[in-house]
Amino acid sequence: MFHKKKRRREEEISFGDRLSGVLQLPVNVVEGLPQMEVMGNKEAVIEGCDGVLEYNENVVRLSTGKLVIKFMGRGLILKCMTDTGVIVTGYITSIEFS
Amino acid sequence: MYIVKLLRFLKGYVKFDAISGNIERFINICVKNCVSLWGCRKEEEHLTGFTTVSGYKKMHRYARRTQVRLRVKERRGLPFYIHRYRKRIGILAGALCFVLFLGIMSNFVWVIQIEGNERLSSQQLINALKEAGVSRGTLKSSIDNEQVAQTLMIKVDDLAWISVNVRGTTVFLRVRERTMPPQKIDTNVPANVVAAQDGQIRHMEVYDGTPVLKVGDAVRKGEIIVSGINEDRWGLTHILRANAKVTAYVPQTLEVEIPLTQTHCSSAGKIIKRKYLNIFGAQIPLFIYSGIEEPYKLEKREFYPQVMGVSMPFTVTRENYILTVETKERISEDTALKLGKKQLALLEKQKLNGEIISFDVKARTEEEKVILTGEYIVEMDIAKQVEFSVFDTKDEKGKFEKSGY
């Protein structure tokens, strides 16, 4: 019983988390996660974006390797796009991670 | 952000419209192939956005691959403007002339800014600067700052320090004025106090020397009032610099002539205006010449024109010729007398230095003129120090004694 609990806790805390905790490094650097900066509900800057999966004026779905980020709102615009980052502007109502 | 916008404008950019097909895939392929995209907006099946000119050229093959139909909506930026007006040589020539004009004019002095002057007027310094070879319109490369500063130090006495700097098209002149030392009076040089005017002495304050005259005495101009030679009680002679304040009643006469026939100039109601442009030493008339009938009154004004607060390196001279009509009018003797009294009062203020004790005005008419003669008694300081030289004859006397005389 005690061993099962311990294993489950170890599964929840990944190697990347532990490494970043030990070396005091940012999690996104160690695990290759995207970096996202949100200015209110008007603008979001996403660094480490691999591509656009879905785009229309109400939904923007971005692939960031391990995660898929979904922005929902009204009048969404891809303000600027480079090979590593995207700026999404508009009236953002929700952000989902999957 | 403005820099980015400026760079985009200079390089030129395209507003495109992508319809149908796989829009998301099209965007991804473009981004992966380093095609810059910005301002992308999707409305129903249309995607509108902006890209660079080179990016748009690349986009076609990606559009074909993703079955997207691509169209140009707008072309913006400098290359497109140039292309649009490529056949209009006038605009190009005008732009070239403007750039050339700016380039040439930036080599000349436009403004002279003077700081730190209090007693010295700016005009005085500008004139001195002009004599040193620096004025509006001077070629900047011909200005040697140190030499100009040295020349100004020699030309203008009241300067303690000066710096000349040329920044852009402005000459900055910073000055510090000299604190002048008080006038040195050599007290070793002996002097007498003499009368500067004829008069009767009313008051004497003798600070040094032996008074020769006393209060109530009449004195003539140049007569000694206080002597610089003093004899003590042992009969020894001392030579010193006499100093005194001597006030006296001085008679003064003023005369004013008023002709009974007066000539008046009145405006004929016509003004001829003329303008000149003064640039680089040349005066260019800005009018078509036509003769002007005399008599006229000329009003002349020279100024630096200003554009948005910056004064230009050239001046404009404005001349107004006010045509006049001369009329002759005979005035009565009473009116002439009144005019004469007014003129006499003005003359009193100008010429009489002192308090007027009494005066007597007499009027007479001679050859169509009214002559007013004012005789005044004025109380004023008449003391004037006059230095005198003293020769020591002791050495010569010694020589005579040695030679046996």
Side-chain angles (χ1 to χ4, degrees):
Chain A
M1 190 71 181
F2 175 75
H3 288 287
K4 269 187 185 176
K5 270 187 183 176
K6 195 180 177 184
R7 201 177 294 158
R8 201 179 292 161
R9 206 178 293 157
E10 277 173 0
E11 277 171 5
E12 279 172 7
I13 303 166
S14 66
F15 174 74
D17 281 341
R18 267 185 280 171
L19 191 68
S20 67
V22 171
L23 298 174
Q24 300 270 301
L25 287 168
V27 185
N28 62 332
V29 174
V30 178
E31 289 200 44
L33 291 170
Q35 190 177 338
M36 195 164 79
E37 193 178 346
V38 183
M39 268 69 85
N41 67 339
K42 302 285 176 193
E43 189 174 292
V45 182
I46 303 102
E47 288 283 337
C49 173
D50 288 343
V52 182
L53 299 176
E54 187 185 352
Y55 174 47
N56 59 54
E57 59 186 322
N58 298 321
V59 178
V60 176
R61 216 146 58 86
L62 303 172
S63 163
T64 58
K66 286 183 179 178
L67 287 172
V68 171
I69 306 170
K70 186 179 178 184
F71 292 92
M72 282 179 286
R74 292 191 294 273
L76 298 178
I77 297 167
L78 298 176
K79 189 181 171 186
C80 186
M81 289 185 70
T82 61
D83 55 344
T84 55
V86 177
I87 301 173
V88 179
T89 58
Y91 191 87
I92 301 165
T93 50
S94 65
I95 304 170
E96 279 180 21
F97 299 91
S98 54
Chain B
M1 196 61 202
Y2 290 107
I3 292 290
V4 175
K5 280 185 178 176
L6 179 73
L7 288 173
R8 281 174 185 165
F9 176 80
L10 291 174
K11 286 179 80 177
Y13 59 97
V14 174
K15 187 178 181 183
F16 67 89
D17 193 8
I19 313 158
S20 71
N22 194 341
I23 298 288
E24 285 83 2
R25 196 167 160 239
F26 170 70
I27 292 171
N28 288 335
I29 292 172
C30 286
V31 169
K32 292 289 172 209
N33 289 287
C34 299
V35 174
S36 316
L37 292 176
W38 69 92
C40 293
R41 187 189 291 263
K42 197 174 178 190
E43 285 166 0
E44 296 171 359
E45 291 299 304
H46 290 256
L47 174 81
T48 51
F50 296 91
T51 185
T52 57
V53 178
S54 57
Y56 185 74
K57 284 174 187 168
K58 279 188 196 174
M59 266 183 178
H60 281 286
R61 76 180 85 116
Y62 310 134
R64 237 175 283 129
R65 208 188 292 171
T66 53
Q67 292 161 354
V68 168
R69 278 188 289 146
L70 206 58
R71 273 185 205 154
V72 176
K73 281 186 92 176
E74 279 175 45
R75 293 180 181 89
R76 292 180 190 175
L78 193 65
F80 297 112
Y81 279 112
I82 291 169
H83 187 261
R84 198 180 300 163
Y85 299 114
R86 68 189 182 282
K87 285 181 183 170
R88 297 178 73 168
I89 304 297
I91 291 174
L92 188 70
L96 271 175
C97 283
F98 177 69
V99 171
L100 215 65
F101 176 78
L102 270 186
I104 291 168
M105 291 310 278
S106 61
N107 291 320
F108 294 96
V109 174
W110 283 51
V111 182
I112 296 170
Q113 204 168 315
I114 298 168
E115 287 172 16
N117 56 322
E118 286 170 8
R119 287 196 313 274
L120 286 165
S121 69
S122 295
Q123 194 55 47
Q124 205 178 340
L125 289 167
I126 286 170
N127 290 342
L129 211 56
K130 201 172 184 178
E131 284 174 29
V134 181
S135 61
R136 288 181 185 223
T138 308
L139 198 67
K140 279 193 318 185
S141 58
S142 68
I143 299 170
D144 183 352
N145 296 356
E146 284 180 14
Q147 201 183 338
V148 171
Q150 277 179 4
T151 314
L152 281 184
M153 284 295 285
I154 295 164
K155 279 188 188 296
V156 185
D157 285 337
D158 289 357
L159 290 179
W161 173 84
I162 189 164
S163 84
V164 180
N165 291 305
V166 183
R167 272 188 222 148
T169 55
T170 308
V171 172
F172 289 92
L173 191 72
R174 289 197 176 85
V175 295
R176 290 284 175 277
E177 287 171 0
R178 200 164 63 162
T179 309
M180 300 300 280
Q183 198 184 357
K184 192 183 174 187
I185 299 165
D186 192 355
T187 49
N188 293 325
V189 179
N192 292 321
V193 173
V194 301
Q197 299 273 343
D198 295 347
Q200 190 189 13
I201 298 168
R202 298 300 302 167
H203 181 72
M204 281 175 74
E205 277 177 42
V206 180
Y207 307 119
D208 266 321
T210 313
V212 177
L213 300 173
K214 58 182 187 299
V215 173
D217 286 351
V219 66
R220 292 197 69 81
K221 188 180 176 181
E223 201 176 333
I224 295 172
I225 302 169
V226 181
S227 173
I229 298 164
N230 192 13
E231 197 175 301
D232 63 13
R233 54 184 171 170
W234 294 285
L236 292 169
T237 305
H238 299 277
I239 296 164
L240 44 88
R241 192 178 181 86
N243 193 11
K245 186 185 174 188
V246 182
T247 51
Y249 285 167
V250 178
Q252 300 267 333
T253 307
L254 297 174
E255 201 171 84
V256 169
E257 286 183 4
I258 307 292
L260 290 170
T261 311
Q262 298 271 317
T263 309
H264 293 289
C265 282
S266 56
S267 172
K270 194 179 175 187
I271 300 168
I272 296 169
K273 290 179 181 178
R274 286 180 172 179
K275 279 183 187 176
Y276 294 91
L277 179 72
N278 307 310
I279 187 162
F280 304 129
Q283 195 175 50
I284 303 159
L286 305 173
F287 58 89
I288 297 161
Y289 182 79
S290 62
I292 298 169
E293 289 173 13
E294 287 190 22
Y296 57 77
K297 201 173 124 189
L298 176 63
E299 285 177 358
K300 201 171 179 180
R301 198 178 146 237
E302 193 173 344
F303 62 95
Y304 286 97
Q306 290 196 336
V307 177
M308 297 173 82
V310 179
S311 55
M312 298 288 110
F314 50 81
T315 59
V316 173
T317 308
R318 190 178 284 168
E319 287 180 349
N320 287 346
Y321 292 88
I322 305 161
L323 300 184
T324 54
V325 181
E326 276 188 4
T327 49
K328 285 190 176 179
E329 190 194 355
R330 190 180 165 77
I331 54 169
S332 66
E333 284 189 11
D334 287 345
T335 318
L337 211 63
K338 278 179 189 170
L339 278 172
K341 278 181 181 172
K342 275 184 188 172
Q343 284 191 20
L344 207 63
L346 281 172
L347 217 62
E348 278 172 17
K349 282 181 187 170
Q350 285 171 10
K351 295 203 169 174
L352 303 181
N353 304 317
E355 192 191 340
I356 298 167
I357 304 299
S358 66
F359 68 96
D360 183 24
V361 180
K362 285 173 185 168
R364 64 181 192 280
T365 312
E366 266 180 30
E367 297 170 355
E368 291 291 300
K369 280 179 193 170
V370 171
I371 300 165
L372 269 85
T373 312
E375 286 177 355
Y376 301 86
I377 300 292
V378 183
E379 189 176 354
M380 59 192 285
D381 189 2
I382 58 162
K384 184 184 165 189
Q385 273 186 332
V386 176
E387 291 171 0
F388 62 91
S389 50
V390 180
F391 298 104
D392 194 354
T393 54
K394 195 180 174 183
D395 294 342
E396 286 180 11
K397 200 180 172 185
K399 274 182 198 171
F400 286 125
E401 280 170 358
K402 277 178 188 174
S403 61
Y405 286 97

